[in-house]
Amino acid sequence: MSLPKKMKDHAAKHAEATVPHPEAARKQAAQGKLLARERVTAILDRDSFHEYDLFVEHKCSDFGMAKKQLPGDGVITGTGTILGHPVAIFAQDFTVAGGSLGLAHARKITKIMDHAIKLGIPLIGINDSGGARIQEGVNSLAGYGEIFYRNTLASGVIPQISIILGPCAGGAVYSPALTDFVFVVDNISKMFITGPEVIKTVLGEEISMEDLGGARVQAEMTGNAHFYAQSEAECFEQVKRLVTYIPWNNRKKADAFSVIPSRSEVSLESIIPAESNKPYDVRDVIKAVCDGSDFMEVQALWAANIVVGFARMDGRTVGMIANQPAVLAGVLDVDSSDKAARFIRFCDAFNIPLVTFVDLPGYLPGIDQEHAGVIRHGAKLLYAYSEATVPKITVILRKAYGGGYIAMCSRHLGADFVFAWPCAEIAVMGPEGAANIIFKGEIAAAADPEAFRKEKVKEYTEKFASPYVAAANGHVDAVIAPHQTRDFLLHALEISEEKQELRPQRKHGVPPF
């Protein structure tokens, strides 16, 4: 056969494998969903996608499968670039057998995962699947297991990003759960272990797919999703932005960008109220000190009493963690401890320095929190900060009481630099509560108990809660004016860039999961 004839045959085979069935494509569009190939090209730089394993076929012959041809076996795999950054990518194609996962489908995914690990580039997975291909039986389950195994091998080695753009049910949800960042889109993304029909059959409870595991549920209630978008286009822009903040792998640092001064028009001195019990938005502080006032918040809708995300200082990526006084006074609880601990461990794994802003009264008290395991969950935060060996810089803005002071990257958990504003209050507990306990008898016996109590509160504050007391004991490196914060942070980051910290040899630690 001549080369022209072979080229013609190749073109026909390529079209057969890449052009979706019209009816399936129409149904996808009717749901407001892009086709798998459209999604890949929308995320990647123009003309950068190179596809592999296009002609892979399933080997199943049971239940009529021998007569079925499934183009690409329902998944697209390849490599490309995002803003010049190389990435590996796979996208499940719901127009082919509902994107169901069989062994050949899974092996295509694990092959591109192996490439990503070996080449040291981020992995992006687009999930849109009806679940396991039941015609293949245990082979389908084997495929899921092989994917989970590689998710675990890749953890902390390359960044892993999951984009949920359709159903992701049953065992399939564990792959996104093992990745670093999960993106969801309103009215499109669905994640759950057991669907509404199973729940109704077993428990007699009725609930819609959206209310059970929709995008808003996963982003706001469960914390399973890190980024929430209103449309696929918005989601893809979020992915592109995230990629600029993170390195290709754990052997590199994130790319540096040109330094842009803060665009914040609000002075740091004016952000925090004089009264220590008045709320404010700590994101204003972050934006006032970072380059271009550009802050990419992670898990913004879940556990809002703590803020985590990426920013740049002097052009380089920094992980920001901050108590949020505008929500529950910034207390630590079960969810906020989980949220911060996971973010800290990602940053540490990928050489991203940590900057922590502290303003909290401590851990949230209550029966619900105790029974939910706040001891164990709170310990995750202590473990994450203590384990991290990247540069760790802490700024105490206002309150830092009790266990909360220790947990928020204090000197005692290995912070490299600890700075405090003059209005900082560092103490075992709040001055009001401390004075009421210490001077309980004297207050009761005083001629004017309330005036005497206020006097003792002031005395306790000056003697024990002042930042200068902590500084006198070496727990705070410098008490700085708010307007000096960016300068001190930039200097601390610069001189700690080549930080090395040796730890005892071990196979791995055992965090309080």
Side-chain angles (χ1 to χ4, degrees):
M1 186 183 294
S2 65
L3 181 58
K5 173 60 175 170
K6 288 184 177 181
M7 292 299 295
K8 186 177 180 180
D9 288 348
H10 168 72
K13 286 180 177 292
H14 188 275
E16 184 180 359
T18 57
V19 177
H21 189 280
E23 180 61 20
R26 186 192 64 77
K27 289 182 179 179
Q28 188 85 340
Q31 298 177 58
K33 297 162 62 177
L34 295 175
L35 298 174
R37 292 184 183 281
E38 292 174 335
R39 289 165 170 170
V40 171
T41 55
I43 294 175
L44 301 181
D45 296 338
R46 186 174 182 179
D47 298 328
S48 72
F49 180 58
H50 290 70
E51 185 172 357
Y52 314 123
D53 291 331
L54 174 61
F55 301 111
V56 164
E57 298 178 357
H58 69 84
K59 302 296 189 294
C60 182
S61 59
D62 297 319
F63 305 105
M65 288 295 291
K67 299 178 181 179
K68 292 186 178 180
Q69 285 190 327
L70 306 179
D73 208 51
V75 65
I76 299 166
T77 63
T79 54
T81 61
I82 295 179
L83 303 176
H85 295 73
V87 298
I89 189 168
F90 70 84
Q92 293 179 311
D93 188 348
F94 199 82
T95 68
V96 179
S100 59
L101 186 138
L103 189 59
H105 180 121
R107 292 279 168 83
K108 285 183 67 173
I109 293 175
T110 57
K111 183 176 177 180
I112 200 65
M113 294 175 79
D114 289 339
H115 275 313
I117 297 170
K118 181 169 59 177
L119 301 176
I121 58 176
L123 174 72
I124 298 174
I126 301 176
N127 294 265
D128 186 3
S129 169
R133 190 175 299 161
I134 58 177
Q135 295 92 333
E136 295 196 27
V138 72
N139 276 343
S140 179
L141 299 179
Y144 278 124
E146 291 177 11
I147 292 171
F148 303 158
Y149 179 68
R150 282 164 177 81
N151 284 135
T152 306
L153 291 182
S155 180
V157 178
I158 57 170
Q160 299 181 83
I161 296 169
S162 294
I163 308 172
I164 313 301
L165 295 180
C168 184
V173 298
Y174 286 118
S175 179
L178 289 167
T179 62
D180 300 308
F181 299 103
V182 177
F183 291 75
V184 292
V185 177
D186 193 38
N187 293 319
I188 291 179
S189 308
K190 308 286 189 293
M191 296 175 69
F192 38 72
I193 296 294
T194 54
E197 292 184 7
V198 175
I199 291 175
K200 183 178 180 180
T201 301
V202 176
L203 300 175
E205 299 173 354
E206 294 191 16
I207 190 169
S208 68
M209 290 177 65
E210 190 67 29
D211 290 338
L212 178 63
R216 193 82 190 186
V217 170
Q218 302 299 349
E220 188 173 349
M221 296 177 63
T222 69
N224 289 328
H226 300 80
F227 296 96
Y228 169 87
Q230 294 287 343
S231 67
E232 291 194 28
E234 181 187 355
C235 174
F236 299 153
E237 290 305 312
Q238 291 175 342
V239 173
K240 293 176 183 179
R241 186 183 178 200
L242 174 65
V243 168
T244 68
Y245 280 105
I246 59 179
W248 299 2
N249 56 60
N250 64 351
R251 302 185 303 276
K252 298 174 70 71
K253 292 185 178 181
D255 290 347
F257 282 66
S258 300
V259 180
I260 303 173
S262 169
R263 293 195 178 98
S264 175
E265 297 179 357
V266 181
S267 67
L268 285 169
E269 284 82 354
S270 66
I271 293 174
I272 298 185
E275 300 87 348
S276 63
N277 61 347
K278 290 288 181 68
Y280 63 92
D281 192 339
V282 77
R283 289 172 293 195
D284 292 336
V285 175
I286 295 172
K287 292 175 181 178
V289 300
C290 68
D291 293 0
S293 301
D294 187 17
F295 174 58
M296 186 174 193
E297 189 170 357
V298 177
Q299 291 183 304
L301 299 177
W302 181 62
N305 43 318
I306 200 160
V307 173
V308 302
F310 298 107
R312 291 189 179 90
M313 301 286 293
D314 200 29
R316 298 194 176 276
T317 299
V318 173
M320 298 284 190
I321 305 99
N323 304 115
Q324 176 56 290
V327 180
L328 296 174
V331 295
L332 289 172
D333 59 6
V334 166
D335 288 344
S336 62
S337 297
D338 281 1
K339 173 179 171 179
R342 183 180 173 102
F343 180 76
I344 291 164
R345 299 194 78 190
F346 175 85
C347 290
D348 186 50
F350 291 101
N351 312 306
I352 298 173
L354 297 166
V355 173
T356 303
F357 293 101
V358 183
D359 187 351
L360 82 164
Y363 280 91
L364 180 64
I367 297 171
D368 290 345
Q369 283 292 304
E370 294 293 344
H371 289 181
V374 70
I375 296 171
R376 174 169 51 86
H377 289 276
K380 295 178 185 179
L381 185 59
L382 299 168
Y383 190 98
Y385 270 128
S386 301
E387 179 188 47
T389 58
V390 293
K392 296 179 288 190
I393 303 155
T394 301
V395 182
I396 302 174
L397 305 176
R398 201 167 58 172
K399 299 187 295 293
Y401 298 156
Y405 155 69
I406 299 172
M408 289 301 293
C409 202
S410 62
R411 163 76 65 206
H412 327 296
L413 297 188
D416 298 298
F417 295 97
V418 179
F419 307 124
W421 286 5
C423 55
E425 299 176 4
I426 307 168
V428 174
M429 63 188 303
E432 294 272 350
N436 289 341
I437 293 172
I438 296 172
F439 306 107
K440 180 179 180 181
E442 297 173 58
I443 291 172
D448 186 345
E450 183 58 24
F452 185 80
R453 189 186 69 82
K454 289 181 177 179
E455 179 183 329
K456 291 302 180 182
V457 168
K458 181 179 179 182
E459 177 184 334
Y460 180 88
T461 301
E462 292 175 351
K463 190 168 185 179
F464 294 107
S466 164
Y468 302 102
V469 176
N473 286 283
H475 305 321
V476 169
D477 295 300
V479 179
I480 61 174
H483 70 268
Q484 295 178 294
T485 304
R486 177 173 165 86
D487 178 63
F488 269 82
L489 287 175
L490 290 176
H491 180 70
L493 289 166
E494 180 183 5
I495 63 174
S496 60
E497 188 167 346
E498 299 300 324
K499 171 189 173 183
Q500 293 185 357
E501 187 171 331
L502 299 177
R503 295 294 178 91
Q505 186 175 357
R506 60 182 177 182
K507 184 176 182 181
H508 59 72
V510 185
F513 286 148

